[in-house]
């Protein structure tokens, strides 16, 4: 009855069909014509409404990709998103977590790298923990060609049959993940903030944790019946692995057949906007909370952040109060950051805040309450009033830096 892209097709049993037209009437996309038997055109989305409504049970869904069951999968696969000539940081972060999961399962860690072949990039993925890097060698497999990427990745996953597939929750990843999940007929947990291996009904499954109901609960989700278990993960949720030049892995080219691909999205132009100061990429974040007292406190933080070459972040109440905009909010409903240094000033340490900064390399907190929960998570704690501590800290730092500058100049002159 209809050939329907790569996901499958709806077949008609003419012996059963009475040409009643119910299928045409219920189709939400207007894809069914009667001629005199039903014919489905390319606008069909395979929603199945016609199949359910057919009184003669004359319509049958023929799936192109059979659903893979819980025993049909081995290994962890990470999708390495390209950013021009580089790989996005989130791919390395996923390799770090993927390595942990793969070791726990005693299974391999595979990484899919799309786009023009770059052996250097592939080696960096091996040094970051991948046992195998599969190069999806096709120049059209670039961001933002999501339809081509979906087709190539669906083919690759079909061949490799990983048990787990991890994708960064970037703009591309958020578009690729659901498309792939539909193709592969499996589930997807989007925007995970935690991943672990755990027991569920006698099986070892991927426990995928993510905020639900507006962040009021943390839900742990499993995908027991189909493979791969798919998750997208926010950038900066996991730390980047240390590069290990001794880690061994192989690199293989993979041919993807994109000949039958019809892309419905055409990229006309890519316009790069001006990038604003981003707390996500900063090495130093000086963050303020309600303990600052009023919005003038942010100026004090700005001075300290400027000295350290960092940026200012805030807890949610400061955004709610309108002191600054949401782009500066750290936490569950804000941004996830993982700087080398995070200084929390007058922040209590609520779980929703900690969820956005707990992977920072060094955490310093300044709080006048010695019992504040944030002190349970810090490397260095200063008990005191932010309005007293920060000006002293800033002045001392300024002095130390200027002495360093003087020393630098002297050393330079001696040379
Ligand atoms: C669904 C949901 C999502 C959320 N998402 C986020 C999120 O993304 N980010 C986020 O931050 N919060 C989020 N929250 C809010 C979160 O629960 C907390 O309410 C919030 O983090 C508290 O902010 P705070 O630490 O600045 O304020 P408070 O909890 O009021 O803490 C202020 C701290 O400052 C200290 N203090 C007071 N005066 C001084 C002083 N003079 N000197 C030094 N210390 C002082 C106090 O001892 C206290 O520890 C969310 C909440 C919900 C329900």
């Amino acid at each position: 009855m209809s050939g329907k892209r790569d996901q499958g097709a709806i077949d008609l049993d003419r012996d059963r069909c009475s040409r009643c037209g119910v299928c045409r009437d219920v189709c939400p996309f207007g894809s069914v014509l009667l001629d005199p038997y039903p014919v489905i055109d390319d606008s069909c989305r395979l929603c199945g409404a016609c199949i359910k409504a057919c009184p003669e049970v004359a319509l049958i869904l023929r799936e192109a990709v059979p659903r893979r069951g819980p025993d049909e999968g081995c290994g962890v696969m990470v999708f390495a998103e390209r950013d021009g000539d580089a790989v996005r940081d989130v791919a390395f972060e996923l390799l770090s977590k993927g390595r942990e999961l793969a070791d726990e399962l005693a299974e391999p860690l595979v990484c899919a790298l799309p786009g023009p072949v770059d052996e250097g990039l592939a080696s960096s993925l091996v040094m970051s923990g991948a046992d195998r890097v599969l190069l999806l060698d096709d120049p059209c497999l670039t961001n933002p060609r999501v339809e081509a990427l979906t087709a190539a990745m669906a083919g690759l996953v079909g061949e490799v049959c990983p048990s787990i597939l991890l994708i960064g929750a970037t703009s591309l990843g958020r578009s690729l993940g659901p498309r792939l999940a539909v193709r592969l007929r499996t589930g997807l947990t989007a925007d995970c903030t935690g991943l672990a291996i755990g027991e569920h009904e006698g099986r070892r499954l991927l426990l995928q944790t993510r905020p639900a109901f507006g962040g009021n609960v943390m839900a742990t989700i499993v995908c027991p019946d189909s493979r791969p278990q798919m998750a997208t993960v926010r950038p900066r949720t996991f730390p980047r692995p240390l590069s290990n030049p001794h880690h061994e892995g192989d690199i293989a080219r993979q041919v993807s057949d994109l000949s039958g691909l019809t892309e419905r999205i055409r990229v006309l132009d890519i316009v790069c906007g001006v990038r604003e100061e981003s707390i996500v990429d900063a090495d130093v974040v000086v963050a303020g909370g309600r303990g600052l007292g009023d919005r003038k406190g942010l100026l004090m933080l700005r001075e300290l952040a400027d000295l350290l070459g960092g940026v200012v972040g805030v807890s949610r109440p400061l955004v709610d109060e309108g002191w600054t905009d949401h782009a500066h909010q750290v936490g569950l409903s804000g941004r996830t950051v993982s700087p080398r240094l995070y200084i929390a000033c007058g922040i209590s340490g609520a779980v929703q805040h900690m969820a956005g900064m707990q992977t920072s390399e060094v955490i310093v907190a300044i709080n006048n309450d010695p019992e504040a929960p944030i002190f349970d998570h810090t490397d260095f704690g200063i008990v005191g009033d932010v309005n007293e501590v920060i000006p002293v800290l800033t002045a001392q730092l300024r002095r130390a830096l200027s002495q360093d500058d003087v020393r630098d100049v002297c050393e330079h002159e001696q040379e």
Side-chain angles (χ1 to χ4, degrees):
M1 179 188 186
S2 120
K4 169 64 191 124
R5 297 193 293 273
D6 354 281
Q7 292 105 310
I10 295 173
D11 291 336
L12 174 72
D13 183 343
R14 282 196 177 207
D15 295 338
R16 283 175 174 265
C17 179
S18 62
R19 292 180 273 164
C20 64
V22 169
C23 51
R24 177 195 53 198
D25 299 342
V26 296
C27 176
F29 303 103
S31 310
V32 185
L33 305 171
L34 282 190
D35 185 24
Y37 284 98
V39 176
I40 300 184
D41 68 25
D42 268 359
S43 59
C44 168
R45 292 283 175 276
L46 287 181
C47 69
C50 56
I51 298 174
K52 272 196 201 132
C54 175
E56 320 296 345
V57 199
L59 298 171
I60 305 129
L61 179 65
R62 179 163 41 85
E63 288 152 349
V65 182
R67 182 194 294 268
R68 283 201 285 124
D71 298 318
E72 301 173 73
C74 179
V76 179
M77 182 184 273
V78 166
F79 171 73
E81 181 179 336
R82 295 281 280 260
D83 182 12
D85 295 336
V87 170
R88 281 199 192 278
D89 282 350
V90 66
F92 292 100
E93 295 155 17
L94 292 180
L95 280 176
S96 142
K97 190 61 182 183
R99 184 69 268 164
E100 229 178 275
L101 301 173
D103 287 346
E104 199 163 343
L105 293 166
E107 292 179 5
L109 175 62
V110 180
C111 183
L113 177 65
V117 166
D118 186 327
E119 301 273 346
L121 281 187
S123 302
S124 67
L125 297 169
V126 169
M127 288 191 272
S128 298
D131 297 316
R132 183 141 225 248
V133 177
L134 298 171
L135 304 168
L136 285 167
D137 176 13
D138 194 308
C140 74
L141 292 176
T142 53
N143 190 354
R145 300 277 294 274
V146 68
E147 289 172 310
L149 280 164
T150 306
M153 279 298 292
L156 184 68
V157 173
E159 260 178 61
V160 178
C161 295
S163 167
I164 293 172
L165 173 58
L166 306 179
I167 299 175
T170 57
S171 323
L172 176 76
R174 284 168 200 236
S175 183
L176 175 67
R179 287 164 193 266
L180 258 182
V182 170
R183 285 284 173 94
L184 300 169
R185 308 200 55 233
T186 188
L188 168 75
T189 308
D191 247 355
C192 291
T193 52
L195 297 172
I197 301 295
E199 287 281 322
H200 177 81
E201 295 178 353
R203 284 184 189 279
R204 301 194 78 202
L205 297 181
L206 180 67
L207 307 182
Q208 306 160 81
T209 303
R210 56 151 296 154
F213 300 109
N216 287 306
V217 292
M218 295 303 281
T220 297
I221 296 165
V222 289
C223 176
D225 299 328
S226 55
R227 293 294 175 271
Q229 302 160 85
M230 282 184 63
T232 59
V233 179
R234 277 192 195 193
R236 303 277 175 152
T237 300
F238 302 122
R240 206 185 148 109
L242 292 175
S243 178
N244 175 4
H246 304 297
H247 181 78
E248 288 184 9
D250 59 294
I251 298 170
R253 282 188 188 212
Q254 199 76 20
V255 180
S256 14
D257 179 15
L258 300 175
S259 52
L261 179 75
T262 37
E263 289 179 280
R264 284 162 297 159
I265 301 170
R266 222 158 27 100
V267 181
L268 300 179
D269 197 3
I270 296 176
V271 181
C272 296
V274 179
R275 217 166 160 191
E276 286 183 10
E277 170 188 87
S278 161
I279 58 168
V280 175
D281 302 323
D283 274 344
V284 178
V285 176
V286 181
R290 221 169 355 207
L292 288 181
D294 62 41
R295 74 166 74 206
K296 279 193 221 130
L298 288 178
L299 299 175
M300 186 169 69
L301 298 195
R302 157 72 62 195
E303 205 183 335
L304 179 57
D306 284 348
L307 264 182
L308 293 167
V311 299
V312 172
V314 293
S315 66
R316 177 158 137 176
L318 276 56
V319 176
D320 294 343
E321 289 292 326
W323 294 9
T324 185
D325 60 78
H326 183 257
H328 291 91
Q329 182 185 319
V330 175
L332 207 54
S333 49
R335 303 279 195 273
T336 304
V337 300
S338 188
R340 296 182 60 198
L341 174 64
Y342 189 87
I343 307 180
C345 312
I347 293 177
S348 59
V351 282
Q352 294 90 351
H353 186 82
M354 301 308 294
M357 43 64 80
Q358 60 201 357
T359 57
S360 305
E361 226 170 284
V362 176
I363 302 175
V364 179
I366 306 166
N367 198 303
N368 63 2
D369 175 6
E371 303 296 323
I374 193 146
F375 286 131
D376 296 339
H377 308 275
T378 50
D379 299 287
F380 301 97
I382 302 172
V383 179
D385 186 330
V386 281
N387 297 303
E388 291 169 11
V389 176
I390 295 172
V392 173
L393 193 62
T394 308
Q396 296 265 13
L397 198 61
R398 196 184 298 285
R399 201 167 314 128
L401 284 172
S402 65
Q403 278 166 5
D404 272 359
D405 286 349
V406 171
R407 206 175 307 130
D408 281 352
V409 172
C410 293
E411 281 169 7
H412 198 250
E413 280 175 357
Q414 276 168 10
E415 281 167 18

